[in-house]
Amino acid sequence: MARTLVNVPKAAKQGEVVEIKAMIAHPMETGYRIGPNGSNIPRDIIRRFACTYNGEEVFSADLFPAVSANPFIAFTLVATTSGTIDFTWTDDAGKSQTASATITVS
């Protein structure tokens, strides 16, 4: 689907609040613009973003046509245990793009 960038601290102390950042390169086409041939450019947006921490969903967002191209999302979570943070973006066609990062909690 597209290129993703995620920023997760490599290490954190137990109970520390950490900032997570995620971005996907995507045009987020609303379906309202007119193309060069005079017809509407088909809608193509990321509909849902979800983040899981060791398999448990910790953040999700439903996205709409008003969201700009290359959506950037930042949020915080509490580092409890070492593990994997997985990111999933799902588009209008049902296709998903995933990325993951690990965090070490001491």
Side-chain angles (χ1 to χ4, degrees), residues 71-100:
F72 173 81
I73 297 172
F75 57 96
T76 59
L77 62 81
V78 177
T80 54
T81 61
S82 297
T84 304
I85 300 174
D86 296 305
F87 305 85
T88 305
W89 294 263
T90 306
D91 71 7
D92 275 339
K95 293 186 227 167
S96 293
Q97 177 74 29
T98 59
S100 63

Side-chain angles (χ1 to χ4, degrees), residues 25-75:
H26 193 279
M28 296 295 282
E29 188 55 60
T30 64
Y32 298 123
R33 288 189 324 135
I34 305 297
N37 62 357
S39 63
N40 284 4
I41 298 171
R43 176 181 153 137
D44 180 21
I45 68 168
I46 301 289
R47 301 273 300 185
R48 180 164 170 77
F49 169 77
C51 178
T52 60
Y53 182 19
N54 288 335
E56 181 182 341
E57 187 170 277
V58 292
F59 181 86
S60 68
D62 292 324
L63 306 178
F64 297 93
V67 175
S68 68
N70 307 321
F72 173 81
I73 297 172
F75 57 96

